[in-house]
Amino acid sequence: MLPGVRALRVTGLLRPPGAASRRARCGPGQRPVERGVALPAGPDLRHFLRAAAAGRPGPTPELPPEPSSAPGAPKVYLETYGCQMNVSDTEIAWAILQKNGYARTKELDEHSSWSTLFPWLPREKAEQAIWNHLRHLKVLKARRPQARAPLRIGILGCMAERLKEEILHREKLVDVVAGPDAYRDLPRLLAVAESGQQAANVLLSLDETYADILPVQTSAGGKTAFVSIMRGCDNMCSYCIVPFTRGRERSRPIASILQEVRMLSDQGVKEVTLLGQNVNSFRDLSEVQFQSVAAPGLSRGFSTVYKAKPGGLRFAHLLDQVSRIDPEMRIRFTSPHPKDFPDEASVLQLIQERHNICKQLHLPAQSGSTRVLEAMRRGYTREAYLELVHHVRDSIPGVLSLSSDFIAGFCGETEEDHQQTVSLLREVRYNIGFLFAYSMRQKTRAHHRLQDDVPADVKKRRLEQLIATFREEAARANGALVGQAQLVLVEGPSKRSASELCGRNDGNIKVIFPDVELEDAAECGAPGRAQPGDYVMVKVTSASSQTLRGVPLCRTTLSRAAASH
């Protein structure tokens, strides 16, 4: 999955109440401000001396402080758009702002100081929606009474890096622009904007992972969470903007990831998804004794545009350690690249052996045509991809679901190429799919080397056919579960009926069932209704392409359900 774009709105004073303006530490390899943007002078030597006397946070992650309730604290309104990587970035940015005395508001009102957006714009339509929203915010900003603190607007994340010039100068809609590696610099950027000047930092870092910052969950009390394990991507697929907006691949130290997962377990979280652009190429180089380890091989029939990278602790080691933290916590990961599942990969062995690692894999294909895959620089053929699918299903008997990404109408795609993608959907029969019409992005290799020559109406028709084929095959795949008992992690009430509960099974498929009193299979509690975070055994009675429906059998635990099978 690709990262999103976010927006930020803040009102009131920009400095923490009663505190001098302090310069936030930039990520390694960064400069604080993008060249070409005129900014007032930054903090002087006294600010640095004062900060040094107060002490800087060390490399070990610290639990974030409770939100400030001090009167007059500047209020920030955060809006997140796009993929889960943006949600993760929102939690990092909020941890930084909260530690610097900001308060968060759930609604943008006359008391808000800042409105901040984290947008992800993979397609032109989504990008235009963000521009329209910024104009709406500009109107709100102009209407703010002079007696109140001015409303200021910020753009954070991938859009900030990719469209920095347009964002800063087009209709002057934004006060602060911060790229995905500049969140440490937010307090200083906001302080600069307080004077009425625009502030920007969009420089990418070679090693920023925010390892010493524990994100603050934006949904308090939630039972599922995403944990970012790496940033950036080195694959350089020709259609993808990620390497240019999030930079090169770098991985968090395993110790910091384990601490975050333990913290989430202590908070009652029951499912964690390890998040990255290419999680199975994870490579922790923080421990010297592992820096000379040989590079692992690739999946059979796969290649890559970069040389094999030796050294470091790999994803299998991380997955092993994370799965040991809490036997009642489900572990998922996304998004892997198909090339990083070699035949001897212990990742597939761990999925088979550990009851709390979900038996579900995301294998993004993008196209079913070898010719188009070559133009996309995916590093594999249709035949190699299918061989990997068979290898996965042989290695993990009973693997519950496969998901994938597909692009309709990529540069030079013919009708024959399209039909090959349709046939791949039928042959693999995915349970979950993410399908989009191609939208060319600036900076990508496709933008410089290829022609976006498939007409929009043809893209639309092909996408509709891919979606119809996927739904037909997914309904058949899910229909095979009818009559089976599925372990469901309860997320909460169904959106369509207060008398039903909604959750997801091991394969990440949505399951709806009646909210009734249930026996406890552990026989250690009285009958009661299932609550968010409970595991419920549900017998499936019907299925569609996206949802299973069933009758609840009992409340249970993840360990007990695994033992009974």
Side-chain angles (χ1 to χ4, degrees), residues 282-322:
F282 176 88
R283 190 169 63 112
D284 173 15
L285 295 170
S286 64
E287 298 190 36
V288 177
Q289 65 269 34
F290 296 105
Q291 291 186 0
S292 60
V293 177
L298 299 176
S299 305
R300 186 183 306 165
F302 287 69
S303 62
T304 180
V305 297
Y306 57 81
K307 293 181 180 179
K309 302 172 185 176
L313 291 170
R314 300 289 174 161
F315 183 63
H317 182 83
L318 172 65
L319 190 61
D320 171 53
Q321 295 298 305
V322 169

Side-chain angles (χ1 to χ4, degrees), residues 410-429:
F410 185 67
C411 305
E413 183 187 73
T414 65
E415 195 63 31
E416 181 182 354
D417 295 325
H418 167 65
Q419 291 303 324
Q420 289 180 23
T421 302
V422 172
S423 70
L424 184 69
L425 284 167
R426 294 200 183 279
E427 185 167 351
V428 176
R429 188 169 289 179

Side-chain angles (χ1 to χ4, degrees), residues 390-413:
H390 297 319
H391 173 57
V392 166
R393 286 177 165 160
D394 290 341
S395 301
I396 313 173
V399 62
L400 193 53
S401 71
L402 289 178
S403 57
S404 192
D405 303 333
F406 286 94
I407 297 173
F410 185 67
C411 305
E413 183 187 73

Side-chain angles (χ1 to χ4, degrees), residues 71 122 241 300 320 324 339 476:
I241 192 67
R300 186 183 306 165
D320 171 53
R324 294 176 185 271
K339 75 179 190 307
R476 291 176 180 170

Side-chain angles (χ1 to χ4, degrees), residues 69-217:
S69 58
K75 292 184 178 180
V76 181
Y77 176 68
L78 298 167
E79 294 183 66
T80 305
Y81 301 84
C83 71
Q84 291 301 333
M85 188 65 76
N86 263 15
V87 176
S88 176
D89 275 11
T90 303
E91 295 173 348
I92 291 171
W94 173 228
I96 293 169
L97 291 173
Q98 179 179 285
K99 193 168 185 178
N100 282 269
Y102 290 87
R104 185 170 183 180
T105 178
K106 293 183 178 180
E107 295 182 4
L108 181 64
D109 55 27
E110 68 273 14
H111 302 293
S112 302
S113 308
W114 282 89
S115 171
T116 306
L117 307 177
F118 287 81
W120 174 47
L121 307 177
R123 296 174 301 281
E124 290 183 15
K125 186 176 181 180
E127 186 171 312
Q128 188 57 49
I130 294 296
W131 285 118
N132 293 338
H133 188 43
L134 287 173
R135 294 188 187 97
H136 171 69
L137 293 178
K138 185 179 180 181
V139 172
L140 295 181
K141 182 177 181 179
R143 291 176 179 173
R144 177 67 62 92
Q146 291 187 353
R148 294 194 178 277
L151 172 67
R152 304 195 189 281
I153 303 169
I155 289 281
L156 278 60
C158 299
M159 181 181 180
E161 197 288 329
R162 187 172 69 85
L163 299 174
K164 50 188 176 290
E165 295 298 330
E166 285 189 75
I167 292 171
L168 285 170
H169 304 301
R170 178 173 168 176
E171 304 178 37
K172 297 192 178 294
L173 296 173
V174 173
D175 301 287
V176 165
V177 172
D181 291 345
Y183 301 145
R184 294 182 191 273
D185 202 24
L186 279 174
R188 187 194 65 82
L189 294 173
L190 300 188
V192 168
E194 181 185 357
S195 68
Q197 300 295 314
Q198 289 181 315
N201 183 349
V202 296
L203 295 179
L204 296 176
S205 167
L206 290 175
D207 47 16
E208 176 64 271
T209 63
Y210 301 106
D212 60 322
I213 296 173
L214 282 178
V216 177
Q217 276 197 282

